Amino acid sequence: MTDAGTLRSKTETELKDSVLALKKEQFNLRFTKATGQLENTARVREIRREIARIKTVLAERAKQAS
């Protein structure tokens, strides 16, 4: 889990790459869950919240730029 302070120190491209990687992991976890092989169900929630944190930081930057 990454806190917002750490995310704010990253560049915009790094944040966008992180979102893509997390979305891929989320996609894979959904398939694993559907087949009944997912052991750590809390990871789905962690990923969803991490994506939200990153998107919040990106939105803050976009608001400051305008």
Side-chain angles (χ1 to χ4, degrees):
M1 184 166 88
T2 309
D3 61 339
T6 307
L7 293 174
R8 286 187 181 97
S9 65
K10 292 186 177 184
T11 65
E12 188 172 340
T13 55
E14 288 175 332
L15 292 173
K16 288 181 180 180
D17 290 342
S18 297
V19 169
L20 285 176
L22 287 168
K23 285 194 177 261
K24 286 179 184 179
E25 186 177 351
Q26 185 180 37
F27 181 78
N28 290 332
L29 285 174
R30 272 188 270 148
F31 271 99
T32 308
K33 183 178 180 182
T35 59
Q37 297 174 350
L38 184 62
E39 292 179 12
N40 186 6
T41 56
R43 183 68 180 143
V44 176
R45 185 176 187 181
E46 290 171 4
I47 290 176
R48 189 175 70 237
R49 289 183 176 187
E50 186 70 25
I51 291 170
R53 275 189 206 98
I54 294 171
K55 285 186 174 185
T56 300
V57 171
L58 288 171
E60 287 172 354
R61 288 185 184 178
K63 188 175 180 181
Q64 287 177 352
S66 62

